Amino acid sequence: MSKKYVYFFGDGRAEGKAEMKNLLGGKGANLAEMTSLKIPVPAGFTITTEVCTAYYDNNQKFPEGLREEVKINLAKVEEVMGAKFGDSKNPLLVSVRSGARVSMPGMMDTVLNLGLNDQTVNGIIEQSGDKRFAFDSYRRFIQMYGDVVLGLKPMEKDEIDPFEAIIEKKKEQKGITLDTEFSADDLLNLVTAFKQEIKNQLNTDFPENPVEQLWGAIGAVFGSWNNDRAIAYRQLNNISADWGTAVNIQAMVFGNMGNGCGTGVAFTRDPAIGNNIFYGEYLMNAQGEDVVAGTRTPQPINAQQKGDSPLPSLEEEMPEIYRQLLDIREKLEKHYRDMQDVEFTIQKDQLWMLQTRSGKRTAFAAFQIAVDMVREGLISKEEALLHVKPEQLDQLLRPIFDSREKQKAIEEGRLLAKGLNAGPGAAYGKVVFNALDAEEWADQGQEVILVRIETSPEDIRGMNSSQGILTARGGMTSHAALVARQMGKVCVAGCGTLKIDYKKRRMDANGTVINEGDYISIDGTTGEVIQGKIKTLPPEILQVIINKSLKPEESPIYQQYAEIMSWADEVRTLGVRTNADQPGQVTTAIAFGAEGIGLCRTEHMFFEGDRIDAVREMILAETEEGRNKALAKILPMQKEDFMEIFRVMDGFPITIRTLDPPLHEFLPHSEKDIKNLAGRMGISMDTIEAKIESLQEVNPMLGHRGCRLGIVYPEITRMQARAIFEAACEVTREGIKVMPEVMIPLVGHVKELAAQKKLVDEVAREVMSSNHMDLKYLVGTMIELPRAAVTADEIATEAQFFSFGTNDLTQTGFGLSRDDAGKFLRYYFAQGILDNDPFQQLDQAGIGKLMQIGVENGRKTRPELKIGICGEHGGDPSSIEFCYRLGLNYVSCSPFHVPIARLAAAQAVLKNR
Amino acid sequence: MSKKYVYFFGDGRAEGKAEMKNLLGGKGANLAEMTSLKIPVPAGFTITTEVCTAYYDNNQKFPEGLREEVKINLAKVEEVMGAKFGDSKNPLLVSVRSGARVSMPGMMDTVLNLGLNDQTVNGIIEQSGDKRFAFDSYRRFIQMYGDVVLGLKPMEKDEIDPFEAIIEKKKEQKGITLDTEFSADDLLNLVTAFKQEIKNQLNTDFPENPVEQLWGAIGAVFGSWNNDRAIAYRQLNNISADWGTAVNIQAMVFGNMGNGCGTGVAFTRDPAIGNNIFYGEYLMNAQGEDVVAGTRTPQPINAQQKGDSPLPSLEEEMPEIYRQLLDIREKLEKHYRDMQDVEFTIQKDQLWMLQTRSGKRTAFAAFQIAVDMVREGLISKEEALLHVKPEQLDQLLRPIFDSREKQKAIEEGRLLAKGLNAGPGAAYGKVVFNALDAEEWADQGQEVILVRIETSPEDIRGMNSSQGILTARGGMTSHAALVARQMGKVCVAGCGTLKIDYKKRRMDANGTVINEGDYISIDGTTGEVIQGKIKTLPPEILQVIINKSLKPEESPIYQQYAEIMSWADEVRTLGVRTNADQPGQVTTAIAFGAEGIGLCRTEHMFFEGDRIDAVREMILAETEEGRNKALAKILPMQKEDFMEIFRVMDGFPITIRTLDPPLHEFLPHSEKDIKNLAGRMGISMDTIEAKIESLQEVNPMLGHRGCRLGIVYPEITRMQARAIFEAACEVTREGIKVMPEVMIPLVGHVKELAAQKKLVDEVAREVMSSNHMDLKYLVGTMIELPRAAVTADEIATEAQFFSFGTNDLTQTGFGLSRDDAGKFLRYYFAQGILDNDPFQQLDQAGIGKLMQIGVENGRKTRPELKIGICGEHGGDPSSIEFCYRLGLNYVSCSPFHVPIARLAAAQAVLKNR
């Protein structure tokens, strides 16, 4: 902890600056920066975030010396503002606000008008010449202080605020309905009544001493860092509990002191669509809350936004102030090189800036602004790349709900539930409760939403036929979520409040019953599930690059996307591949810029068409001969799949993983399905049930899967290798370039890989020699077990490439089942033990350490070893940056994550320069 | 691979020596050594094990240059022996034998009398003057060659050997029954018939060319390295498939050339009980196989072994040869400094030694011999320590079956099944099929064997009441096996052929039905399950140190044990602790020399008495308040447990692990038990069933357990901490010294530990301050997750000690569920992918690497960090040696493994000097 606790700003001089966000919080750092830029900012000072951390480390006590520093800085503020804290003639009033490293809007506490008491209020009357204003400020202060600092607030959710109760009573007495109808005396009465209420309820006096008020407020703001709302917000936004908040103490300025006063908020550009216009609104004679509260209709800031508004704009009403604001707008954009979101107050014809920060914007706006700013020469291409959040790209690539229709539905009470936003986008359809129905209904041209308690691999075709998938169980990496994202399907997962009754073909959502065939709409970007049908809008980019229903020049959004992607490709060094195993997915991925397949799962192919029966026959066979017979049926089908994919990928490398999941996943589970299968295969149900029983495992994740299948049943690996190499030879004859990379999963020991590689090499030699060809191919392995990572030097003696399977590496490295972790991980977030879900964002300190050991050891043996990642993390920007730093060659992600990965890979280079 | 393929020995000169076992195999190395010692050994040479490895690596081709070297060395043998290979006057005959690094008796192939053909047989007639001998040798050679080299052997198990069929036919023709009744001409006829059979069956001629014969035999011996028997033997004995076998080609000498000939085997000391007497037997006019085959009763080697035998001893029959043998015995023991197992042949009054090796011995003999040899001044104490196998100690510490009674039972067909030898020792009792019955029957004074499909923690008390435990499912580290070993119970686990029917209270063992109440006997040392009751003998050492029913001076075995243990303690540097959680176990462990508890599992205590109901009440409670109420009931009981243990351990450190297993393990599973519990608790069965359902997990091993329990339910950790520190304060007042070490399980992230440590420290402060005491204690963690190992530097900022939980570290590091691995690991052994079960013997290359990273990282933060191991590997000698090399402070193992660990720890020091 540094020695300095407090940073002053005011009168064009500031001890802090914008770069000091971690220490001063975003608000404090930017107030300091604006001050140094000679922009008018009320003087004040910032207590650092380190004080907050120390406060919590030290049993909620302030560090030694803080009081002295605050005193000194308060004196400086008094000097600059020409007023005195606690003075009865010309009192200084201050605001006390939180300010974390990143904005946490509304989550923490604020106290305004601090410094008022029975004496100083007279000074305010004198200064403002407005008794009513002074008493109103005073009663607001007591109300806020009582709530925030003294904790006098409703205990129950539906209880009325004790201060509001007094106000209501007063209104009744007076027979009025609006606050504004109170006279100055009424407000003074309220002040007295509020103080009495505090005394009655808390058995303590409201503190008249401004210094005591100030320390109470500082403590309350620090305390609010750990209120429930703030903790919840941090979890949602990956904000560490360790960061702490700063406290900003700043001279009050008033936009509600009568004429020539006002307050407003503005964006330096349009945050919704990104146009280069000054965008904002304001209220005359009002305080900041009034703009946000929406009780009065705000006025437009300028002519461009006036539209049909009968109200005058700021530009018309106070042209000089507007001109000053325009200057500040330009200054800020030039200085910050980004679109800003500002707050301002006009006190008696003087403009004061109270906040500036990087403005939040939609993806559409982000792209427009980035491209425009480069064109305007304001920023470089590299900076533009850093202005667009990779995650936001998702927004451009998903169908979206018409927001007005959705809002209406919610207002009508049609929001059924909220789950995890597992597959972004918007979809509606008729509810079906099983995968077969989904297929059938879809074949009949109906739009369906597949609703399941959870999904399994046998649901794949049904999932593919659906507009969207909704599940009651499972997390962000559950089967439903994983497959949905790879398919680009909308998915809401883990919607625990839904009671799904398969037998009755209906579900109950908090009392609303939805039957099979009823329409629902699901928003995979927000997790909302809504009754009925809500109109969707198709994303333009897809219309251009996939459907070709729109020409590039017809879509400005596409053009911005394409431009930024081309800049990203110039900068990035990491390759970007895709995880895909269907020709359609592959086509999409290539349109999105994938440069190869990093993970082609072969098991999904096993569910296509009628081949699942052959797969089941193989599993049920008791002899190698029986298995070979069944495998011979699968071979031509699997070969056909590979040929299709090879044709699409012409020239790009393709990593094909041999069979990975435990065999029981391929067997039916319901009695009906078992009966059907028994009938088709001419065997008894008992036989099938006995096999299912024998394949059951205590911990399937750590069981008989991955290369362990190929070691027990080498004939499976041989069949798959044969399908790959026969397909490769055949398309080569068609003039297609093929570069297969055979990947052996779940290797823990070099000898496992050696044994499987031997089989693959044997079959490859055999097939190529009978085809008189000599194709290049590689055999490599997943690094997805800790043992593989720490013995990577040995494994690299056999492996010609590595691909990190970070899903399983996270499960085994952490000893954490992703199917079970949901139940207790929320306690981890609540207690700050983990800041985010390691299945969504790579745990760099731990799992990343294993990866680092794997990379270093692997390249010790093979310095040029090609290393990629094909876990879900391959589509996560922070994880991609980590992969870049580790020196990986490529990342591989689902098709819809490919543009995200391209952008994140470029940012990784720029951030690490 | 070294350049030299072949090592010569003969005439007092040898290129090899005893230390070259890895290169020359045990047999070859010792033949060379004996030759150099001027002991009479027929000349010969050894083809190295490296040739075998190269042979397999190179598609079963001999390396370049081998033929030349063999030729040169064969010439040397000819010179020394004064005979010529293939010569028709004075032919050299050779034996071709395998010889691996460690002895694999009978597993690989041998060819004797090689060099015989229609010409050379005449030379043998001439040399021996015995036509019958010559033709008998010839027909034996063809028979052996046809079988071993040409592969002419029965195809089916019950088919008769084709050569034996010819012999039988011949006997029928002649009306004789014994081989010895054949005349020389009969034998010549057999030679012809054998050759014809080979021609008929294989369409190839028997090779007359001795050089061709030789290469055929060499190839066959190499080939036999990978026959089924050899592979199976290697798996059982942890022999690596990579080692390969050497081939020994040695001049034949004949013990069956008439008078003045004989052959025998001997041990330089008694291998059964260890007495210092020359121990052996021989046959006059016989070949080696005859001694082993048991068709003729062998003669005693000397008077001491003569007993009631009417046959003359070698000492009487050939006193000069016996004297020579005695000299050789002394020379070998002095030279090898160990008891030897030798083979000899007397050919026409000349003694030839054909083999020497360290003699296998019982544990009793091993101890006696080691102690004697030190007393005799033959070896040092350190060498004596290396002569005793730690694993053998187990034999001394277990009740044993009367071997004659057991043999008789097996001969009577009462062997019911064979399972895993999960808990060594011998036990018999009446069969019961559930834990409650076991308790009840035992309370009535009956001896019971608890037979379960598998056991679970709720069976603990029943297990404790039983003489032994038999399960149908589960491996060496299944619940039954783990608990049995810790309890010192006899256990046979995973006996898959048993069909157990709980309802009918009976089991079916391959058709034999055993009902409840029937007697069975189980041998936990061999895995045998036998019908009926077999007498057991109690181990003396236990009678001395635990039961005190025998005085030390009354038990020579105890004295030897005590002496060797005291030597071990002088040498070892590793501490030895025990895994124990019951006062009885702790007492045993201390008697065995434990210096503390390395793992006190607190969950076992939860099953004691009526407290399980309180535990269930806690689990079923829906609020923290409800849980606290239930925990308050458990607190005094758990405190009482700790007090008892503290009293026994007075002064020794005790590592207490907070609650580890998933909560569902504490809930009942059968409908009856659920109903009972619901009745007792006054809640509905549905409530309990819903809870059980909600606690179910996909991968319980990676689920809600370990410190994750304490993070979700901090009140559990607090209760446990309170019980520990209240107990500590109370016994301190009694004058007992307490040193508690609180261990947090399943930590993956430093913040998990920090959160739990905070709770423990808070409670500790509270309890100690209200007791006005200040006791020393530590808080540390298990390192049992890969993430913990790689972030051990961070974890050590909080942890005051580490203890490796290598069971779970193996599961997560390998991604291998120990409950499920059994199904496929056998394929791994068969294919040489793994040499042994990583749950039994620490996988040093992989899991050991994680440990090494953990140790290095942990001590980077805390150089003096105390580190132990408390996984099952803590009792495995090779793993203990690895822990020593890693620099661990102590190992902890089950009470009955403590002496093993003490000895292994001493050996670790000696082996790494």
Side-chain angles (χ1 to χ4, degrees), chain A residues 639-682:
Chain A
K639 178 178 156 188
E640 195 55 49
D641 290 328
F642 290 136
M643 286 174 61
E644 279 190 62
I645 291 176
F646 289 160
R647 287 187 193 115
V648 181
M649 293 303 287
D650 188 8
F652 283 132
I654 301 169
T655 308
I656 299 169
R657 182 174 72 183
T658 53
L659 195 66
D660 184 53
L663 295 184
H664 68 79
E665 287 198 6
F666 299 101
L667 292 180
H669 294 290
S670 75
E671 205 182 310
K672 189 182 144 205
D673 291 345
I674 292 172
K675 199 171 169 182
N676 285 342
L677 181 64
R680 283 200 303 279
M681 291 192 54

Side-chain angles (χ1 to χ4, degrees), chain A residues 694 696-702 708 711 751-752 785-787 812-815 817 820 823 828 831-832 843, chain B residues 242 694 696-702 708 711 751-752 785-787 813-815 817 820 823 828 831-832 843:
Chain A
S694 82
Q696 267 183 1
E697 295 182 308
V698 180
N699 296 293
M701 159 65 207
L702 309 176
R708 297 163 190 172
I711 282 167
K751 287 192 183 175
E752 293 175 310
L785 294 176
R787 196 189 186 283
T812 49
F814 250 109
S817 163
D820 303 308
K823 282 184 199 164
Y828 276 60
Q831 296 176 35
D843 158 50
Chain B
D242 293 343
S694 82
Q696 267 184 0
E697 296 182 306
V698 181
N699 297 293
M701 160 65 207
L702 309 176
R708 298 162 191 173
I711 283 167
K751 287 191 183 174
E752 292 176 311
L785 294 176
R787 194 188 188 284
F814 249 109
S817 163
D820 303 308
K823 282 184 201 165
Y828 275 60
Q831 295 176 35
D843 157 50

Side-chain angles (χ1 to χ4, degrees), chain B residues 795-835:
Chain B
I795 289 175
T797 60
E798 294 284 341
Q800 296 172 303
F801 64 88
F802 281 177
S803 179
F804 282 104
T806 47
N807 296 348
D808 279 3
L809 194 61
T810 300
Q811 294 200 81
T812 48
F814 249 109
L816 200 62
S817 163
R818 70 181 175 206
D819 294 313
D820 303 308
K823 282 184 201 165
F824 52 88
L825 277 191
R826 57 201 165 96
Y827 292 86
Y828 275 60
F829 303 139
Q831 295 176 35
I833 292 171
L834 288 181
D835 290 327

Side-chain angles (χ1 to χ4, degrees), chain B residues 17 26 47 58 70 78 192 204 231 260 382 422 444 462 481 616 668 675 699 762 797 838 842 864 884:
Chain B
K17 53 183 176 177
I47 303 176
N58 191 26
V70 166
E78 288 172 336
T192 315
T204 179
I231 290 171
E382 282 81 2
Q444 291 157 18
R616 288 167 173 174
K675 198 170 169 184
N699 297 293
E762 276 167 14
T797 60
L842 191 70
E864 298 302 316
Y884 168 79

